[in-house]
Amino acid sequence: MKFANIALTGVVITASSLCQIDAFTLQSRGLTNVGITQYHYRQHQHMSVSPMEETENASSSDAASRTKIENELASGKILEDGPVIDFGSIKDTTSKAERALANAREEYIAAIHSGGKGAVELGFAGDGDSRLMGINDEVVQEVGREVGSFCSDNTKVQNCAAYLRSNAPKGLFESHDDARLMSERDMKTMDTSSLVALLDEAYEESGLVTEAFAKTFYLGTQLLSEPAQKAIWAVYVWCRRTDEIVDAPRKPEDVNMLTDLSAWELRLENLFRYGIVEDVLDLPLLDCKIKYPNLPIEPFVDMVRGMLMDIPDLGQDRYDTFEELHLYCYRVAGTVGLMTMPVFGCAKGYTDAVAKEPALSLGVAFQLTNILRDVGEDAVTRGRIYLPRDDMKKFGVTEEQIYAQKLDDNYIAMTKFQIERARMYYERALRGVPMLSPESRLPVQSSLDCYGKILEKIEENGYDTLTKRAYVSKWEKLATIPFSWYRTLDISKVLPLPGDN
């Protein structure tokens, strides 16, 4: 499974006229409840628009016709000159995978209502029967030891959750029988320091998982403040566990993946609505929600939908157009940007609503980079080709050629086109870095620079992504940090580094 490991929040507005589009083109494809963000057309030159300006006048401008917008969506050029689509909470009524998950969810809810939670077997864990959900052989092997086994005392876990809920902003969580609060008397008589230590240990475990699976991402978190660093780890571990639930190989006798995923979704909803946790690795995400109350649940739910798109026989192993691939990129990568926006924060005068555009753009950039880097590996080992069929046809590249790992001029030309597309998304996100809170600019800029180097490695490899894997070493990543730091300074806008705009 591919979900991007870091995302950007900030804002880029480069336009001279403002207009809105509706969801007619997407609804015609069976996609509903899609939100369309305002977007801007560059007519003659870039203009900086203050984030404090009113945007209600958007609906008054009808510069772009429906036909023009539809053509842009279909062309794949949803870049500097086109719309930014917010696919948040979109439901694909034609998706076999989404229908299957909905049915599994109904069956799971009916089962627990009739027989309780114990009536449904959950938690595929490979060789470890007592492992937490989403922790399996692959995770243990990658980390180098068992994960989440440091606390088997569920009472202590629930006491820690009660302690955290008691310190949450008033009204953040609804009341629930399984989500008690800790009274002032309990706080005085109970050893709360041990609960804080348990939370710290859960965060430390989350950091280990993050480092094991996402080294570039983890390197970026080292440049954050400790609270923000821990929050990003909490988000990543939830994403990692979700990925393992969906993607881990299962035997016929193992628990059905859709049943596990239904339970996992309900756990997520209960955590965000009531502050309920099920195991010790849920505690960091609960603490993150309390410290960042505007953390939305929607991108978490949307990421599940993205991972469903990768399930063999249920999901999608081919994409006809870039529009279809764009939805996938939002769900598995753009969502990470929306999850991390409240943690990174915005500079004074900017809001999450304004920052949404570059967060989504960088998610797409990172996911396109992943896809380009892994074309050969995805085809040979997974039977998947993410490159849009329209693009392949345009450049004369065939599926047979990709499976045969045959590099020719057609494939090189297509790869150059895809790199250009990805870089334009990077550019769109890059100008938003100054709109971040000052303490978040360097880690985001450095992560952006490190990930962008993968495209350079593809070029150095002669555009061969069929038999070679573009790789950026740890030392190369570390070497980019001074340059990334300089790019966050105001002087870099006057005296840019060689090659920078």
Side-chain angles (χ1 to χ4, degrees), residues 454-465:
I454 294 174
L455 298 179
E456 295 178 16
K457 292 294 183 180
I458 292 174
E459 291 172 330
E460 291 174 12
N461 289 340
Y463 302 95
D464 183 0
T465 59

Side-chain angles (χ1 to χ4, degrees), residues 299-486:
F300 292 84
V301 175
D302 289 340
M303 176 172 276
V304 171
R305 288 336 185 251
M307 293 184 179
L308 281 173
M309 293 173 76
D310 266 339
I311 298 174
D313 301 323
L314 278 179
Q316 200 167 342
D317 58 8
R318 297 291 187 278
Y319 295 86
D320 289 331
T321 66
F322 181 72
E323 180 190 352
E324 293 181 357
L325 185 63
H326 193 188
L327 172 62
Y328 173 76
C329 290
Y330 159 72
R331 284 177 166 175
V332 299
T335 49
V336 181
L338 302 187
M339 292 173 191
T340 54
M341 279 173 61
V343 179
F344 288 138
C346 299
K348 185 177 180 180
Y350 293 85
T351 65
D352 284 355
V354 175
K356 205 170 193 178
E357 177 183 354
L360 293 171
S361 293
L362 192 58
V364 175
F366 280 176
Q367 196 58 28
L368 290 176
T369 303
N370 283 340
I371 289 168
L372 283 175
R373 179 193 62 195
D374 299 337
V375 172
E377 180 183 340
D378 284 334
V380 173
T381 64
R382 300 181 181 90
R384 293 185 172 279
I385 298 176
Y386 289 94
L387 299 169
R389 281 172 166 158
D390 280 0
D391 292 346
M392 292 172 61
K393 182 178 180 180
K394 175 182 176 181
F395 288 94
V397 176
T398 66
E399 291 189 7
E400 292 75 17
Q401 172 184 350
I402 290 177
Y403 282 120
Q405 299 182 315
K406 180 183 177 182
L407 183 71
D408 62 11
D409 291 342
N410 290 350
Y411 185 85
I412 290 173
M414 182 189 67
T415 303
K416 288 180 178 179
F417 171 79
Q418 302 297 343
I419 288 175
E420 179 189 3
R421 173 184 279 161
R423 281 183 172 149
M424 291 191 74
Y425 275 108
Y426 276 112
E427 280 294 314
R428 190 169 209 161
L430 179 63
R431 292 191 299 268
V433 174
M435 311 306 171
L436 289 163
S437 59
E439 63 272 17
S440 297
R441 292 172 189 168
L442 177 56
V444 171
Q445 180 71 57
S446 63
S447 296
L448 186 155
D449 291 341
C450 286
Y451 227 82
K453 278 188 170 296
I454 294 174
L455 298 179
E456 295 178 16
K457 292 294 183 180
I458 292 174
E459 291 172 330
E460 291 174 12
N461 289 340
Y463 302 95
D464 183 0
T465 59
L466 297 173
T467 64
K468 298 178 181 179
R469 194 175 195 271
Y471 175 74
V472 181
S473 71
K474 180 179 180 180
W475 296 112
E476 288 176 296
K477 294 171 186 175
L478 289 172
T480 67
I481 293 177
F483 299 98
S484 299
W485 168 77
Y486 182 79

Side-chain angles (χ1 to χ4, degrees), residues 97-170:
E98 289 195 37
R99 292 199 306 270
L101 179 62
N103 292 336
R105 180 183 171 110
E106 290 178 6
E107 292 173 3
Y108 173 70
I109 292 174
I112 61 175
H113 280 171
S114 62
K117 287 185 178 180
V120 183
E121 184 183 0
L122 293 173
F124 168 70
D127 293 335
D129 294 335
S130 61
R131 289 175 185 159
L132 307 181
M133 184 175 286
I135 304 299
N136 54 33
D137 294 342
E138 180 187 1
V139 176
V140 171
Q141 181 178 355
E142 198 72 26
V143 175
R145 63 173 176 79
E146 289 292 337
V147 175
S149 60
F150 58 90
C151 181
S152 58
D153 185 350
N154 189 57
T155 299
K156 188 174 183 180
V157 171
Q158 296 305 325
N159 284 339
C160 184
Y163 173 72
L164 293 174
R165 287 190 295 266
S166 300
N167 290 287
K170 187 176 181 180

Side-chain angles (χ1 to χ4, degrees), residues 232-346:
I232 298 297
W233 292 348
V235 169
Y236 180 84
V237 167
W238 182 89
C239 296
R240 180 79 262 157
R241 294 175 74 182
T242 307
D243 185 54
E244 296 300 333
I245 290 170
V246 173
D247 210 33
R250 297 178 184 239
K251 300 175 183 176
E253 65 270 20
D254 289 328
V255 178
N256 181 277
M257 181 275 295
L258 291 173
T259 302
D260 268 358
L261 197 58
S262 298
W264 186 247
E265 266 202 331
L266 289 170
R267 281 176 60 159
L268 175 72
E269 293 165 12
N270 287 336
L271 189 150
F272 272 76
R273 185 174 181 181
Y274 306 112
I276 293 175
V277 303
E278 297 289 341
D279 61 47
V280 69
L281 290 185
D282 288 340
L283 292 174
L285 187 59
L286 172 61
D287 188 51
C288 182
K289 174 62 180 174
I290 291 169
K291 289 177 177 174
Y292 303 93
N294 59 335
L295 180 70
I297 190 174
E298 288 79 15
F300 292 84
V301 175
D302 289 340
M303 176 172 276
V304 171
R305 288 336 185 251
M307 293 184 179
L308 281 173
M309 293 173 76
D310 266 339
I311 298 174
D313 301 323
L314 278 179
Q316 200 167 342
D317 58 8
R318 297 291 187 278
Y319 295 86
D320 289 331
T321 66
F322 181 72
E323 180 190 352
E324 293 181 357
L325 185 63
H326 193 188
L327 172 62
Y328 173 76
C329 290
Y330 159 72
R331 284 177 166 175
V332 299
T335 49
V336 181
L338 302 187
M339 292 173 191
T340 54
M341 279 173 61
V343 179
F344 288 138
C346 299

